Amino acid sequence: MFDQPQTMDGRFVYNEDEIKFTLNFPCSAFIVPSPIDSASFLKVLRNEATEFKTLSLKTTIQKATNRISVVFRVKPVEQAKDKASLYGVTVQDHHVAFLIKEENNQVVVMIKSNN
């Protein structure tokens, strides 16, 4: 399962020298940016099996959208001046949806996944 960060330990040996290392993979490393049409995106959002996780940020919508797109490897579905929606799919075919909007002089980020 990739619902938690993954760690991989290893070692590199050359002649008599040895280097031990640990690689850390965040959950976002397992998200693939994927195109989705608006109707299908709405179905993901309306899925009542999971709830939105919400957080507030003190930034602009454009900065939040750009940063989330890069860090979580998701693609914009729709984007306007005061809101944006982003989407990706995990390697296990789980939907990951982001809604970003301006509310009370803050940027609110709502995240939903079907896992």
Side-chain angles (χ1 to χ4, degrees):
M1 297 289 286
F2 299 113
D3 57 354
Q4 295 182 7
Q6 303 294 305
T7 302
M8 183 177 80
D9 294 320
R11 64 187 182 112
F12 177 75
V13 179
Y14 183 74
N15 292 331
E16 294 179 16
D17 296 325
E18 178 180 33
I19 299 173
K20 292 184 180 183
F21 61 90
T22 300
L23 297 175
N24 296 306
F25 298 98
C27 295
S28 60
F30 303 101
I31 297 175
V32 178
S34 303
I36 189 171
D37 61 83
S38 295
S40 298
F41 187 73
L42 277 175
K43 286 181 185 177
V44 172
L45 297 180
R46 290 183 178 149
N47 179 355
E48 294 181 13
T50 57
E51 295 182 17
F52 279 103
K53 304 292 183 199
T54 306
L55 62 113
S56 296
L57 305 171
K58 292 189 178 198
T59 187
T60 66
I61 287 196
Q62 184 169 357
K63 285 181 184 178
T65 301
N66 290 342
R67 186 72 180 146
I68 289 169
S69 294
V70 170
V71 171
F72 290 96
R73 301 171 38 158
V74 289
K75 288 182 80 162
V77 177
E78 295 180 343
Q79 204 164 356
K81 180 182 171 190
D82 60 346
K83 61 185 172 184
S85 54
L86 307 167
Y87 176 77
V89 178
T90 69
V91 294
Q92 293 178 317
D93 206 29
H94 297 141
H95 303 281
V96 181
F98 287 82
L99 293 178
I100 305 167
K101 62 182 180 177
E102 206 171 289
E103 194 172 273
N104 299 327
N105 294 324
Q106 289 190 340
V107 173
V108 177
V109 179
M110 298 169 30
I111 308 163
K112 189 168 196 174
S113 175
N114 64 335
N115 180 20

